[in-house]
Each structure stands twice: as C-alpha cells, then as structure tokens.
C-alpha cells in the first residue's frame, strides 16, 4: 500500500479516483485550490490540503513530510471554449502547474507521476478509425496544446532523471458513481452528458446540438464516452504499475466505441424523467469531428477491462446523480 498525492482531488475525476485509491488500501493526500473542486467531494479518510499546484515549495513540503511515493496530477483547467477565450490562463494553470509539480518532485525525490492528459492533443487528425498513441498529435485549441506541452515537459524531465510517468489521454469522461456517492458537481459544466442530465431533471428546458454538418454519418460529432469510475480504476492500476517499478508510458483511455451527439441525446432522453427539447445550432469552435480511442495498449499494459461501457449506464448514473444534487438543494 502506498502514499499517494492527488492534486485536483476535489474535482470530478480526481475525487472518484481518491475513492478508488482508498478502497484499494492506499493512503491519500489531496491538494486542491478549490477553484472548480468541492471540499465535500473529497472522501473521508483523506488528508486534505488547500493550496495551489503552482506553488512548488508548498508541494515539495507536502511530498517530503508525507512520504509520498507517487503523485497523480489532475489539477488543471479543462474547458475547451474557455481556453480559446483565455489562453494565457490555461497555459499558466496547466503548463505552469506541471512545471511546478516537476520541480517539487525533483526537490523531494519523488520519481513517479501519473498525469491527466486528453484526446484533445490529437486535434482533428483522426477522422476514420480509432486513435492510437502513435496517431499524429496536433491540438486545435489552447487546452489541447497546454496538455501536449505538459506531456513534453514530463517527457524531457524523465529523460534527464530517474522519473517514471504514466500519461493518460482521456477521451470523454462522463457518468457518476453507481452507488450514488459522487458525480459531477460543477453547476456550469458544459459537457454534453452533464447538460443532458440537467435537461433530464427539468433544470434545463432545451439541449443544443452544436453542428450538424460534420463529416460523420448523422452530421454530429462523435466521441468515445468513458464512465468516470472505469477511468478512476485505470488510475489506481497506473499508480500500482509505477510502484512495481515499471517504465513510463503514454496511454489512451476510452472504450473504442464512438457515439454521435444525436445518439447520446437519444440515450439521455431514454433515461430522463422529463422530456426536453433538442435544437440544432451552429458548430462550437474547437470541436474535432470524431475522437475514438484505440486503448488496446493501455488494456494490455495494465490488465484493465471496462466494467461500465454502455452509454445508457453513463447517462443513467449521471441523471441519478443530478437528481440527488437537486434534492439536496431544494
Ligand atoms: N455538445 C453539444 N451540445 C452541448 C454540449 C456539447 O452538441 O450542449 C457537443 C460538442 O460540440 C461536442 C460533443 O458534444 O461535439 C462533446 O462535447 P463535450 O463538451 O461533452 O466534450 P469535449 O469533446 O468537448 O471534451
């Protein structure tokens, strides 16, 4: 059992991962500045430290004093549209945060890092077929670039030291804990499944389809949606992989199954309590037509098998969580 530092552990994916780490018997310290995370998302039994990942001294002190063996870095900004409006903020947070973490790890002698990256590093380079880690990268928005630059920093640091890393490139993360204990709390999250869940509980009157003229079978964008608990399991396996002394790797995380925006909306409507209107709108800037993962490398290396790879499970758990949030507020 290991001591793990989770930065951004009060966020959506981070907090689900903390739950899974604790269940696997690991000790967890969470660092989060609560800019988008929620203290109440951090499970009991976690050592919570309020602070910013860009504060390298703060991090290195925690790493040293808590005897951390591996760091999982979720702390980042992740809204594509916002990254186009505020690129410098994205580079400051995401690239600056990675640099600060690398310095802190170097100072504290911690040499194992799990890093959250994204399918946005592939940009529009995919169109036909699934994307493997060898697919040419080429982000089309500052968010994607901030993650690709961060990957490069980690890669260079590893070449110059004994640092080992696992970079996970997430496709579309969605859904909520099946036991109803956790889910997406950010009220203004803009992701499709989240918005569809809000519509399904009557919090939103209408859902918009951003672009119906993409070169896809039904004209809407295709994405590979992965359940947040499956992704959390992957992180535990990744950390344990490094703790066993394994080599660095960059790995895609998805199911290899794409759904169009229309297909997701139709699943969301199937599970919804309240039917909602769907309107067609223009394309959203920065959206690639199709992103579907080839995650065979990750599955082979970590021995991971998907447990929740069904778009209805994703929509159902997201809706149940949204209902729970609503009942807590009212
Ligand atoms: N999308 C949409 N309506 C919405 C939100 C998203 O049509 O209200 C589309 C979006 O344009 C993209 C897909 O759904 O094609 C997935 O978007 P999301 O924001 O969930 O994730 P992203 O792929 O941008 O990380």
């Amino acid at each position: 059992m290991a001591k793990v530092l989770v930065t951004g552990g009060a966020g959506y994916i981070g907090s689900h991962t903390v739950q899974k780490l604790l269940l696997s018997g690991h000790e967890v310290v969470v660092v989060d500045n609560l800019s988008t995370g929620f203290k109440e998302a951090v499970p009991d039994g976690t050592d919570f430290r309020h602070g910013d990942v860009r504060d390298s001294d703060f991090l290195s002190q925690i790493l040293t004093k808590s005897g951390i063996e591996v760091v999982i870095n979720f702390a980042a900004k992740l809204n594509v549209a916002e990254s186009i409006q505020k690129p410098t903020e994205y580079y400051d947070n995401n690239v600056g945060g990675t640099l600060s973490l690398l310095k802190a790890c170097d100072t504290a002698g911690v040499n194992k890092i799990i890093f959250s990256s994204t399918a946005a590093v592939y940009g529009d380079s995919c169109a036909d077929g699934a994307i493997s880690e060898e697919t040419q990268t080429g982000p089309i928005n500052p968010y994607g670039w901030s993650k690709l630059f961060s990957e490069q920093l980690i890669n260079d640091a590893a070449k110059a030291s004994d640092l080992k890393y696992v970079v996970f490139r997430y496709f579309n993360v969605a859904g909520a804990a099946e036991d109803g204990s956790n889910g997406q709390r950010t009220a203004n999250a803009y992701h499709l499944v989240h918005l569809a869940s809000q519509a399904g509980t009557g919090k939103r009157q209408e859902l918009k389809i951003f672009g119906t003229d993409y070169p896809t079978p039904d004209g809407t964008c295709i994405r590979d949606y992965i359940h947040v608990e499956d992704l959390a399991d992957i992180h535990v396996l990744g950390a344990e992989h490094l703790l066993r002394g394994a080599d660095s790797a960059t790995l895609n995380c998805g199911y290899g199954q794409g759904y169009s925006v229309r297909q997701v909306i139709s699943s969301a409507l199937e599970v919804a309590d309240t039917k909602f209107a769907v309107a067609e709108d223009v394309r959203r800037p920065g959206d690639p037509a199709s992103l579907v993962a080839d995650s065979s490398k990750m599955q082979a290396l970590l021995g991971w098998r998907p447990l929740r790879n069904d778009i209805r499970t994703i929509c159902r758990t997201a809706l149940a969580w949204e209902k729970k949030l609503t009942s807590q507020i009212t």
Side-chain angles (χ1 to χ4, degrees):
M1 299 308 108
K3 288 202 166 182
V4 186
L5 174 68
V6 180
T7 72
Y12 172 50
I13 308 169
S15 60
H16 284 83
T17 300
V18 173
Q19 284 186 319
K20 299 286 184 187
L21 286 164
L22 294 173
L23 274 175
S24 302
H26 299 294
E27 265 183 60
V28 182
V29 180
V30 164
V31 165
D32 201 301
N33 66 5
L34 299 180
S35 60
T36 54
F38 296 83
K39 180 81 188 346
E40 56 271 33
V42 180
D44 292 341
T46 310
D47 179 358
F48 176 79
R49 311 289 179 93
H50 186 215
D52 198 298
V53 78
R54 287 165 293 178
D55 184 346
S56 200
D57 292 339
F58 165 72
L59 281 185
S60 64
Q61 278 179 32
I62 293 173
L63 291 171
T64 308
K65 287 190 184 145
S66 305
I68 298 294
E69 292 155 80
V70 53
V71 180
I72 308 184
N73 181 51
F74 292 103
K77 287 188 158 285
L78 44 75
N79 182 324
V80 169
E82 190 183 51
S83 80
I84 297 169
Q85 305 294 325
K86 303 173 181 171
T88 50
E89 252 183 52
Y90 271 68
Y91 290 120
D92 181 32
N93 261 276
N94 296 359
V95 183
T98 307
L99 194 55
S100 162
L101 177 67
L102 286 169
K103 284 187 199 161
C105 284
D106 190 42
T107 306
V110 174
N111 64 359
K112 297 175 180 61
I113 293 181
I114 307 278
F115 182 75
S116 303
S117 188
T118 168
V121 301
Y122 296 114
D124 234 338
S125 53
C126 49
D128 12 285
I131 299 170
S132 84
E133 295 81 358
E134 277 67 50
T135 300
Q136 181 69 44
T137 54
I140 59 167
N141 50 59
Y143 168 61
W145 278 114
S146 74
K147 288 294 184 174
L148 193 58
F149 289 146
S150 298
E151 287 191 17
Q152 187 65 43
L153 284 178
I154 294 169
N155 212 282
D156 288 341
K159 278 188 202 141
S161 68
D162 64 350
L163 177 74
K164 302 287 180 210
Y165 65 83
V166 176
V167 165
F168 286 125
R169 291 176 175 165
Y170 311 155
F171 284 62
N172 286 62
V173 190
E178 284 184 296
D179 66 1
S181 61
N182 201 0
Q184 174 67 268
R185 287 168 208 261
T186 318
N188 61 355
Y190 70 101
H191 290 294
L192 179 61
V193 173
H194 182 69
L195 295 177
S197 306
Q198 291 187 328
T201 58
K203 272 190 213 167
R204 263 171 209 280
Q205 300 309 311
E206 182 187 82
L207 200 59
K208 285 186 174 145
I209 300 179
F210 296 138
T212 54
D213 58 347
Y214 284 96
T216 60
D218 70 14
T220 67
C221 288
I222 293 177
R223 296 287 182 274
D224 185 342
Y225 294 86
I226 179 169
H227 192 280
V228 66
E229 284 193 294
D230 272 348
L231 189 66
D233 287 340
I234 290 170
H235 286 77
V236 178
L237 292 173
E240 291 170 350
H241 180 71
L242 288 184
L243 286 161
R244 282 194 296 273
D247 246 334
S248 300
T250 296
L251 304 170
N252 284 344
C253 299
Y255 293 141
Q257 163 78 56
Y259 291 97
S260 71
V261 173
R262 288 192 205 278
Q263 287 174 316
V264 173
I265 292 176
S266 133
S267 287
L269 276 166
E270 254 178 62
V271 301
D273 290 341
T274 312
K275 300 301 167 209
F276 51 86
V278 179
E280 295 187 0
D281 203 345
V282 294
R283 290 183 179 199
R284 194 177 66 175
D287 277 342
S290 171
L291 291 170
V292 178
D294 172 351
S295 63
S296 50
K297 183 176 165 194
M298 185 271 290
Q299 299 202 25
L301 203 64
L302 303 184
W304 172 80
R305 293 291 171 271
L307 296 177
R308 305 161 188 93
N309 51 339
D310 174 27
I311 192 68
R312 274 163 311 224
T313 303
I314 290 175
C315 290
R316 178 179 51 73
T317 53
L319 183 90
W321 172 253
E322 202 55 47
K323 274 158 71 172
K324 187 171 169 183
L325 273 188
T326 312
S327 69
Q328 281 168 354
I329 294 165
T330 49

